[in-house]
């Protein structure tokens, strides 16, 4: 049995920031295409790369899965389900009239045609297309009028190797394709912030590995499962994620035995940094990423941040440093991590947290106290026993 053209859907993807990247553009487009292909692997889609545009053709029955994948993809400015027709004025106008039918059917009153002509041999120029198509739509649907200033809907026409006609395009996730900016190691806790931090860095093109520290048996298994779920959620946008789960109970005990109580949280952070940096070097990750936000909690004053990173050579990226909690929560809701983050399981940091933590630690004092812990071997041992949980590139439903 052969399928009719009507059984297929075509999507036009507008490439985002990467169109600006001059000499790097080809490499960026190749990675974008690879990411797209991976997300679409179960949808029987074909991808075609054109100038500033990608096209996806899939069986119509898979179109909602394709849309789900497009919604997860960093590196596209927008996308639209498009009509494809031959490059004749008659066919283009007919397609615009069909779009007009949809608009009229929704009871809307105004529209505007936007046209681009990269094939200059097409008999009408962009302005000519706009006039002719606007007239054709109004003639067929007298209730509709052209409004060039603030139309309720757009009808877009692009004359390329074929003619493409589509209604308003959906916004893409923008940013840069994951994999164009090296890899970083995300310190992923069970909280609201760090999943958002990983998501934001992925949007700048960074591949993400993750490390989570737990304190079994003091933290429940549910806390670990929650972080695995968060890694899976972040992994939807980061082309999968490798999560290293590291038992930190012995390190925390050592801190409790040897450190002044007010310093325990900062010293724990320092130990996390040492462990994360060791793992990052092994994995070839070029930086550490945390969900810290200035002054959000006692350990995140600028002085304590100085203590936390005092032993770290790799750059520590903190994409949320100047972001307020409301905004972080908004992003967490939008990416689907919030509901999981607020599940009430205790993190290992809360476990031994002192009633009166130091608020403005001195980095030199911090180094001395940290040295006295002599925690290097414990950290190496914890890393050796780390559990690896691979969250692959999630298939679309
Ligand atoms: P989050 O909401 O990400 O947990 P938070 O506001 O609770 O952040 P802290 O608990 O002070 O802040 O943690 C600061 C950062 O340290 C976290 O964003 C995360 O990057 C890292 N971190 C904290 N606890 C852990 C942990 N158990 N495992 C891995 N990273 C952690
Ligand atoms: Mg936390």
């Amino acid at each position: 049995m052969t399928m009719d053209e009507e059984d297929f859907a075509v999507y036009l993807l507008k490439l985002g920031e990467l169109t600006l990247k001059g000499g790097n553009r080809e490499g960026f487009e190749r990675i974008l295409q690879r990411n797209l292909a991976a997300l679409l692997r179960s949808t029987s889609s074909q991808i075609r790369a054109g100038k500033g545009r990608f096209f996806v053709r899939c069986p119509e029955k898979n179109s909602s899965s394709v849309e789900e994948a497009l919604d997860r993809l960093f590196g596209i400015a927008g996308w639209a389900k498009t009509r494809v027709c031959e490059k004749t004025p008659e066919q283009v106008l007919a397609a615009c009239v069909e779009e007009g039918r949809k608009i009229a059917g929704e009871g809307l009153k105004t529209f505007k045609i936007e046209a681009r002509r990269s094939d200059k041999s097409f008999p009408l120029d962009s302005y000519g297309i706009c006039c002719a198509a606007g007239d054709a739509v109004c003639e067929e649907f007298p209730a509709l009028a052209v409004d060039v200033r603030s139309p309720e809907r757009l009808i877009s026409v692009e004359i390329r190797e074929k003619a493409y006609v589509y209604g308003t395009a959906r916004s893409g996730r923008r940013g840069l394709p994951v994999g164009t900016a090296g890899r970083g190691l995300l310190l992923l806790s069970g909280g609201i912030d760090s999943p958002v931090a990983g998501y934001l860095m992925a949007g700048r093109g960074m591949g993400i590995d993750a490390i989570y520290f737990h304190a079994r048996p003091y933290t429940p298994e549910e806390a670990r499962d929650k972080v695995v779920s968060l890694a899976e959620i972040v992994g939807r946008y980061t082309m999968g994620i490798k999560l290293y789960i590291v038992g930190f109970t012995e390190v925390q005990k050592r801190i409790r035995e040897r450190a002044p109580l007010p310093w325990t949280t900062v010293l724990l952070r320092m130990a996390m940094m040492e462990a994360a940096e060791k793992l990052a070097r092994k994995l070839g990750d070029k930086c550490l990423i945390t969900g810290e936000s200035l002054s959000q909690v006692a350990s995140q004053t600028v002085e304590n941040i100085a203590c936390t990173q005092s032993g770290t050579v790799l750059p520590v990226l903190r994409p949320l440093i100047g972001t307020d909690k409301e905004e972080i929560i908004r992003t967490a809701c939008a990416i689907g991590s919030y509901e999981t983050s607020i599940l009430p399981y205790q993190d290992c940091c809360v476990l031994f947290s002192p009633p009166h933590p130091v608020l403005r630690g001195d980095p030199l004092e911090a180094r001395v106290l940290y040295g006295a812990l002599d925690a290097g071997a414990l950290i190496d041992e914890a890393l050796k026993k780390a559990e690896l949980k691979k969250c692959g590139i999630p298939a679309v439903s």
Side-chain angles (χ1 to χ4, degrees):
M1 195 177 78
T2 59
M3 280 173 130
D4 281 326
E5 237 359 72
E6 287 179 6
D7 296 326
F8 288 92
V10 176
Y11 290 87
L12 173 149
L13 281 55
K14 302 180 181 191
L15 306 196
E17 203 171 332
L18 62 127
T19 50
L20 307 172
K21 294 280 170 180
N24 288 336
R25 205 179 97 182
E26 262 177 41
F28 279 56
E29 290 192 1
R30 205 175 45 244
I31 292 175
L32 180 67
Q33 187 165 358
R34 191 186 68 197
N35 292 352
L36 182 60
L39 286 171
L40 292 176
R41 68 192 183 285
S42 58
T43 61
S44 316
S45 295
Q46 292 164 335
I47 301 168
R48 192 168 61 74
K51 227 176 155 211
R53 298 281 185 266
F54 278 11
F55 297 91
V56 173
R57 184 172 181 273
C58 69
E60 177 65 51
K61 64 179 165 53
N62 293 343
S63 57
S64 63
S65 304
V66 168
E67 290 179 17
E68 194 184 325
L70 297 180
D71 183 50
R72 286 186 200 163
L73 184 68
F74 277 118
I76 54 174
W79 54 271
K81 197 172 189 175
T82 183
R83 294 168 199 278
V84 187
C85 55
E86 294 308 319
K87 285 189 283 188
T88 63
E90 295 72 31
Q91 290 228 10
V92 169
L93 297 196
C96 289
V97 167
E98 285 314 304
E99 277 305 319
R101 187 183 310 285
K102 269 184 17 200
I103 296 170
E106 288 174 46
L108 300 175
K109 297 276 178 287
T110 59
F111 72 99
K112 174 184 172 183
I113 309 275
E114 268 189 352
R116 279 169 173 253
R117 184 184 62 150
S118 23
D119 175 357
K120 304 293 180 210
S121 69
F122 190 73
L124 298 171
D125 65 8
S126 302
Y127 181 69
I129 297 170
C130 290
C131 295
D135 287 349
V137 172
C138 291
E139 200 168 297
E140 187 76 19
F141 305 103
L144 290 180
V146 173
D147 178 348
V148 291
R149 289 242 165 78
S150 54
E152 289 170 292
R153 272 300 153 75
L154 281 178
I155 298 177
S156 300
V157 178
E158 298 194 15
I159 310 292
R160 296 172 176 273
E161 48 310 305
K162 294 254 180 189
Y164 301 92
V165 175
Y166 53 93
T168 310
R170 299 257 291 271
S171 277
R173 216 155 265 285
R174 299 187 176 272
L176 300 167
V178 172
T180 57
R183 301 188 68 79
L185 180 61
L186 170 67
L187 283 84
L188 181 64
S189 70
I192 295 168
D193 305 327
S194 41
V196 173
Y199 166 82
L200 290 176
M201 292 322 302
R204 297 310 300 159
M206 188 161 265
I208 304 289
D209 295 310
I211 184 168
Y212 163 61
F213 302 96
H214 71 85
R216 213 175 267 143
Y218 302 100
T219 47
E221 275 316 284
E222 286 90 340
R224 171 204 174 273
D225 299 344
K226 171 180 164 180
V227 175
V228 171
S229 302
L230 286 172
E232 281 165 355
I233 293 167
V234 177
R236 283 183 203 154
Y237 308 95
T238 63
M239 309 305 298
I241 224 170
K242 272 191 274 173
L243 171 66
Y244 292 81
I245 301 168
V246 178
F248 236 39
T249 315
E250 292 309 312
V251 175
Q252 288 196 265
K253 282 185 178 161
R254 175 70 59 87
I255 293 171
R256 244 236 310 233
E257 284 159 20
R258 299 198 183 172
L261 196 58
W263 275 91
T264 47
T265 308
V266 172
L267 293 172
L268 174 58
R269 283 294 137 69
M270 292 167 75
M272 285 183 181
M273 286 292 175
E274 180 179 342
E277 179 156 41
K278 282 176 170 162
L279 179 62
R281 288 189 186 284
K282 213 174 101 192
L283 299 175
D285 293 335
K286 300 287 188 295
C287 64
L288 306 180
I289 303 163
T290 77
E292 286 161 310
S293 173
L294 192 64
S295 304
Q296 195 186 84
V297 289
S299 57
Q300 295 174 22
T301 60
V302 71
E303 293 84 354
N304 282 351
I305 286 176
C307 297
T308 303
Q309 71 172 35
S310 59
T312 313
V313 175
L314 286 179
V316 182
L317 305 187
R318 302 177 177 88
L320 302 177
I321 197 71
T323 315
D324 76 38
K325 195 78 187 185
E326 288 291 313
E327 204 176 325
I328 298 171
I329 288 175
R330 255 204 307 280
T331 308
C333 290
I335 66 174
S337 59
Y338 183 72
E339 292 298 321
T340 305
S341 286
I342 58 173
L343 293 172
Y345 304 115
Q346 263 195 353
D347 188 31
C348 66
C349 313
V350 187
L351 202 61
F352 300 122
S353 65
H356 302 292
V358 281
L359 291 179
R360 303 187 194 291
D362 167 26
L364 292 178
E365 192 182 353
R367 290 314 311 163
V368 172
L369 292 171
Y370 190 74
L373 297 178
D374 196 17
L378 290 180
I379 287 173
D380 292 342
E381 191 58 28
L383 285 173
K384 224 187 279 165
K385 291 189 197 145
E387 174 196 351
L388 169 59
K389 177 90 187 127
K390 280 189 188 164
C391 314
I393 299 171
V396 281
S397 53

